[in-house]
Amino acid sequence: MNQILITEKLYVTPELKKKKRIYQFAFLISIICVFLLSSYYIYEEYDRNKSEEVSQEILAEIDDTTINEDDHILRVALEADEQAQEQEEIIEENKYVTQGGKSYTTEAILNIPSLEINYPILSETSEELLKISLNKFWGPAPNKVGNYCIVGHNYKNKKMFGKLSLIKNGDIVELTDNSGKTVKYTVYNKYVVEPDDVSCTSQLTNGNKEVTLITCTNYGKQRLVVKARQV
């Protein structure tokens, strides 16, 4: 019996106690890291959802503007000068300000029915504006001859261009400009390029109207490019 008690006492050595404390500390650090990562993910998701709300509010305001245009311009304004003045006021209403104080405007709406992608296109590109909605990257005015290039984030929650990789040749892309005119484009190519390859933004379209959609892929290491041409 004494031998058993001595063995048990010798088994719990100071070295083992030290290792136990180290394991407990490592476990505590792991719990804290998991908590911080979870909090960060939850905050990122919250931030993206708030940005999504902003883009949808803009979209709703643009739709309301189109209704007002029908009510006030087509039915009330009789002279060309009055029509031009009211049209200018409507376009002026498409100006917004970010939380950081940066002003921006919208110049079109992109709709891809097959993927249920429907977002306003902001008239310039920046990290702050990319969080709000799709951005114009390069090209002419919407629905004009040339290559109208649009960029957007590829979010895992399928917002913005999160579903763009599912698009197929033959799918329809609709672009509605601020005047309310909608032009349909057919997807004819989809491919992946390196980040420094900007050949997809070329304006050599042989007199055609084209739309190019660009987003990140392969964990941001490359770019997915979708090309569409007017139907």
Side-chain angles (χ1 to χ4, degrees):
M1 177 65 73
N2 290 336
Q3 183 63 37
I4 294 174
L5 292 174
I6 292 171
T7 303
E8 288 180 350
K9 288 181 179 179
L10 291 175
Y11 183 76
V12 185
T13 63
E15 183 179 352
L16 288 176
K17 289 182 178 180
K18 183 178 180 181
K19 286 183 178 181
K20 184 179 180 181
R21 286 196 296 269
I22 292 174
Y23 291 147
Q24 289 175 338
F25 180 74
F27 179 74
L28 180 61
I29 292 298
S30 299
I31 294 296
I32 293 174
C33 289
V34 170
F35 174 77
L36 291 176
L37 288 174
S38 299
S39 300
Y40 175 77
Y41 176 80
I42 292 172
Y43 173 77
E44 284 292 303
E45 191 66 17
Y46 170 79
D47 189 49
R48 288 171 183 172
N49 287 334
K50 292 297 290 183
S51 298
E52 174 78 7
E53 290 177 7
V54 173
S55 67
Q56 294 306 312
E57 287 173 1
I58 293 172
L59 199 59
E61 289 183 20
I62 294 174
D63 289 341
D64 290 342
T65 298
T66 302
I67 294 173
N68 290 336
E69 179 182 347
D70 292 338
D71 289 343
H72 299 300
I73 292 182
L74 298 182
R75 287 201 271 175
V76 178
L78 301 178
E79 297 182 5
D81 289 343
E82 292 178 359
Q83 289 182 348
Q85 182 179 356
E86 291 202 21
Q87 180 66 22
E88 184 177 348
E89 290 175 354
I90 288 171
I91 295 177
E92 187 75 13
E93 290 176 358
N94 290 342
K95 288 188 175 182
Y96 305 90
V97 179
T98 67
Q99 291 183 346
K102 178 179 177 57
S103 62
Y104 62 95
T105 61
T106 61
E107 62 178 34
I109 297 173
L110 177 73
N111 181 37
I112 307 178
S114 63
L115 302 181
E116 297 183 345
I117 291 177
N118 190 35
Y119 286 97
I121 302 171
L122 311 187
S123 56
E124 55 185 294
T125 304
S126 73
E127 285 299 321
E128 187 177 13
L129 295 180
L130 279 169
K131 292 181 180 180
I132 297 173
S133 191
L134 306 180
N135 291 184
K136 176 182 178 179
F137 182 70
W138 194 250
N143 297 329
K144 300 298 182 182
V145 172
N147 180 16
Y148 188 75
C149 304
I150 305 167
V151 293
H153 277 310
N154 177 8
Y155 285 144
K156 291 182 180 180
N157 61 7
K158 306 303 180 183
K159 302 292 178 65
M160 304 295 180
F161 273 162
K163 295 184 286 187
L164 190 60
S165 62
L166 302 176
I167 204 166
K168 301 176 182 177
N169 285 351
D171 283 356
I172 296 297
V173 173
E174 298 177 346
L175 194 64
T176 303
D177 57 36
N178 282 345
S179 70
K181 179 182 178 181
T182 299
V183 175
K184 294 184 178 182
Y185 300 78
T186 302
V187 175
Y188 69 87
N189 200 3
K190 180 176 72 171
Y191 55 92
V192 174
V193 299
E194 298 302 316
D196 58 352
D197 185 348
V198 293
S199 59
C200 64
T201 65
S202 171
Q203 297 300 307
L204 301 178
T205 63
N206 294 322
N208 295 312
K209 297 178 182 179
E210 293 199 1
V211 169
T212 298
L213 312 177
I214 308 168
T215 192
C216 293
T217 190
N218 296 331
Y219 302 99
K221 296 178 181 178
Q222 294 177 302
R223 303 290 181 263
L224 173 67
V225 177
V226 175
K227 305 286 289 185
R229 186 177 292 123
Q230 183 183 15
V231 176

